[in-house]
Amino acid sequence: MDLILTTFGTYLHRQGEMFLIKIKDQKQEVSSRKVRSILITTGASLSTDAIQLAVEKNIDIVFLDQFGHPYGRVWHGRPGSTTAIRREQLRLADTEAGLRLALSWLTRKVDNQIEFLREARQRRTRLSAQLTDKITALTAQRTSLEGITGDLEERRETIMGFEGRAGRTYWEAVNLLLPEDFQFSARSRNPAKDEFNCLLNYSYGVLYSTVERACILAGLDPYVGFVHTDHYQKKSLVFDLIECYRIWADESVVGLFAARKVKQDMFDPLQNGLILNKQGKAVLMERFGEYLDETIRYRNRNIKRRDTVQLDCHRLANEWIGRLSDEDDSDTGVDHL
């Protein structure tokens, strides 16, 4: 489980092998064996004993800003990285193989979007014609994306252009699925201009943390990207890999609107937009957490949806250094990740 601290003034400390959470006069004990990550989204206090327990149990402590983006983390100093993995990562980034790998992540993203819209079309028969048009356009854009060849450095702008056009098509389709009162004009970030983008941005922030954690534990360098170029303090590989998993946030947030769980009082106004408040975070994280913890069939095994990220990153690292097992090489699933 993810232990999420959203109440201002929360105090987290250690009691034996338990985390003890204090909020004013209230106390709650949580076994460290049940905790995967500790997400802190507001002003809170941590004891050094609690930090030590987290380190001992390989539990990362992640600090999220008001928009849900991780700005810092604490965890053990024993990541499963090797020099060989990172050398190969650097080598591949500027090769034809790196281009194919980058394209595989983006086509996987579009495939997820197409499948999501197809499933939505089955439930929303009145939108069948409109969704079919969007699915057809996305399919054509995917084909164009897959057909790109050459050097990654030379083709990066072309890739981003195709991705941008596909994104506009997809969000136009998603907008059709929302109640009229909550429809949006365009994607907006930090701050979001509307309720949908506010929920979506926060969900993506949680996913960033999940993908970064998986990268580091697998020995991948989060800062060496393929599609996203290297910039100071920019976790480019995380931005690349998250494309494969964004659909989880999309489905969860659209599902909240479909279930009529989204209320205006879940949001607080900012000067130029909206921010998710404590109530909104609780509603979103309950839904999103349940979705991530759902057991699915993936690569011939039953596994929680969230754990497929770690499985993918380990598989990618092993493939790069020639340690991919026969079982991994023969299983079914998505190529290259």
Side-chain angles (χ1 to χ4, degrees):
M1 63 175 285
D2 287 331
L3 182 58
I4 307 173
L5 307 183
T6 61
T7 301
F8 183 83
T10 299
Y11 176 50
L12 179 71
H13 66 104
R14 176 178 187 169
Q15 186 167 292
E17 297 298 294
M18 310 284 286
F19 289 109
L20 183 61
I21 306 167
K22 290 185 178 180
I23 305 175
K24 295 183 179 180
D25 296 330
Q26 298 180 341
K27 296 181 181 180
Q28 179 183 356
E29 292 183 344
V30 179
S31 172
S32 60
R33 291 178 298 177
K34 297 181 179 180
V35 179
R36 173 193 179 93
S37 295
I38 300 172
L39 306 180
I40 301 175
T41 69
T42 187
S45 300
L46 306 176
S47 72
T48 55
D49 286 346
I51 295 173
Q52 181 181 6
L53 178 59
V55 169
E56 290 173 352
K57 301 299 182 181
N58 193 19
I59 300 168
D60 55 327
I61 303 173
V62 185
F63 301 91
L64 306 178
D65 65 18
Q66 59 183 338
F67 304 111
H69 292 102
Y71 63 86
R73 68 195 314 148
V74 177
W75 61 1
H76 65 78
R78 306 178 303 277
S81 63
T82 67
T83 302
I85 293 172
R86 298 195 175 191
R87 281 178 176 169
E88 187 64 11
Q89 182 178 347
L90 286 166
R91 188 191 69 80
L92 282 171
D94 295 321
T95 66
E96 172 72 19
L99 173 66
R100 303 318 309 173
L101 186 59
L103 290 176
S104 74
W105 299 334
L106 294 178
T107 54
R108 177 174 171 178
K109 172 187 177 180
V110 178
D111 285 341
N112 289 337
Q113 293 172 340
I114 291 172
E115 181 61 25
F116 174 50
L117 295 180
R118 284 174 175 166
E119 292 177 357
R121 183 176 58 182
Q122 293 179 345
R123 300 188 299 270
R124 313 283 187 95
T125 54
R126 64 181 179 83
L127 296 174
S128 179
Q130 292 170 281
L131 290 176
T132 296
D133 288 343
K134 300 300 182 184
I135 291 170
T136 300
L138 269 178
T139 302
Q141 289 157 351
R142 182 206 185 280
T143 300
S144 298
L145 186 65
E146 191 177 34
I148 295 174
T149 59
D151 179 82
L152 181 58
E153 184 65 30
E154 296 176 351
R155 306 297 284 171
R156 183 172 283 110
E157 289 188 10
T158 302
I159 293 171
M160 299 298 283
F162 276 118
E163 184 188 17
R165 288 191 287 275
R168 286 190 291 273
T169 300
Y170 172 67
W171 293 120
E172 289 170 359
V174 169
N175 204 27
L176 297 171
L177 305 177
L178 301 178
E180 186 174 348
D181 292 344
F182 289 107
Q183 290 185 344
F184 58 98
S185 58
R187 279 286 286 130
S188 57
R189 303 168 180 83
N190 302 339
K193 307 297 184 184
D194 55 79
E195 295 82 2
F196 173 79
N197 280 290
C198 194
L199 288 163
L200 193 67
N201 293 344
Y202 203 91
S203 302
Y204 285 167
V206 174
L207 276 180
Y208 283 126
S209 176
T210 300
V211 175
E212 182 187 2
R213 180 181 193 273
C215 284
I216 294 177
L217 290 179
L220 307 175
D221 190 333
Y223 292 90
V224 179
F226 289 70
V227 177
H228 293 86
T229 54
D230 303 332
H231 291 291
Y232 180 65
Q233 294 187 341
K234 181 177 179 180
K235 297 166 185 173
S236 302
L237 184 64
V238 176
F239 294 152
D240 283 350
L241 295 184
I242 197 175
E243 303 296 358
C244 302
Y245 313 107
R246 287 188 190 275
I247 195 67
W248 298 348
D250 302 352
E251 291 186 359
S252 297
V253 172
V254 172
L256 281 175
F257 283 98
R260 302 186 183 279
K261 298 291 187 180
V262 180
K263 309 297 181 184
Q264 296 288 352
D265 59 4
M266 292 166 49
F267 308 88
D268 291 336
L270 292 176
Q271 183 176 2
N272 298 313
L274 297 175
I275 189 172
L276 201 60
N277 60 28
K278 179 184 175 181
Q279 178 187 347
K281 292 174 185 175
V283 171
L284 172 63
M285 294 310 298
E286 179 181 6
R287 174 91 180 195
F288 199 30
E290 290 174 353
Y291 184 88
L292 295 178
D293 284 334
E294 182 182 356
T295 299
I296 62 172
R297 189 68 178 171
Y298 187 74
R299 296 193 181 281
N300 295 327
R301 68 192 77 187
N302 295 323
I303 187 173
K304 288 184 178 180
R305 183 177 277 109
R306 70 166 77 240
D307 291 336
T308 63
V309 183
Q310 191 67 68
L311 184 67
D312 284 345
C313 286
H314 276 300
R315 187 175 190 272
L316 186 61
N318 287 332
E319 180 179 334
W320 285 353
I321 58 175
R323 293 181 183 173
L324 198 64
S325 67
D326 293 339
E327 178 183 356
D328 287 334
D329 195 36
S330 62
D331 62 16
T332 58
V334 179
D335 292 338
H336 297 300
L337 194 82

